[in-house]
Amino acid sequence: MAKPEPTAAAGVAEYRGASALTDDLSFLLARANARSIAAGNAALSEHGLRARSYSVLALAASDSRPTQRELAEFLWLDPSQVVALVDDLESRGLVRREPDPNDRRAKVVQATKEGRVRFAAAQESARSAELDQHSRLTAAQREQLGVLLREIAFSG
């Protein structure tokens, strides 16, 4: 008789002792990222967004007036991915492209009024999902994690 398949939770618990991976910081970051993205996407779905489109909308709603190239660099995405994300948001009336006054060849991406409203609502959902995802951490640990991740994410 075949052995029954372990549940997902049992399977994860079984591999926690595999120190070759559980001590590997890159693996841990990738796994934590995957879990965080899944939770974020679930929370953002009610707003018609996913993590990447939310990130573009967040930057477009800021006062920084990013170009598509700057979006690609900051989000660590291929420029063609950013074009597709901006195209989608623009087709839904959430952002618009405007000429960059500093470079006629470039376009800045700005949130529309509707985009700013959508972003504000989505931001609440994203923050709630983040707090839920990191509920095992104290406020001080969450702050420390943020400091460490910013150091890794934005180091030269």
Side-chain angles (χ1 to χ4, degrees), residues 3 8 21 39-40 42 58 67 70-71 86 101 112 119 133 140 153:
K3 182 177 168 184
L21 285 180
T67 64
E70 290 167 338
L71 288 169
V86 172
T112 62
F119 168 67
Q133 184 70 20

Side-chain angles (χ1 to χ4, degrees), residues 48-49 53 83-95 97:
L49 299 169
S53 56
V83 168
L85 289 165
V86 172
D87 284 349
D88 175 61
L89 292 170
E90 189 174 44
S91 73
R92 297 192 282 150
L94 301 176
V95 302
R97 292 175 170 104

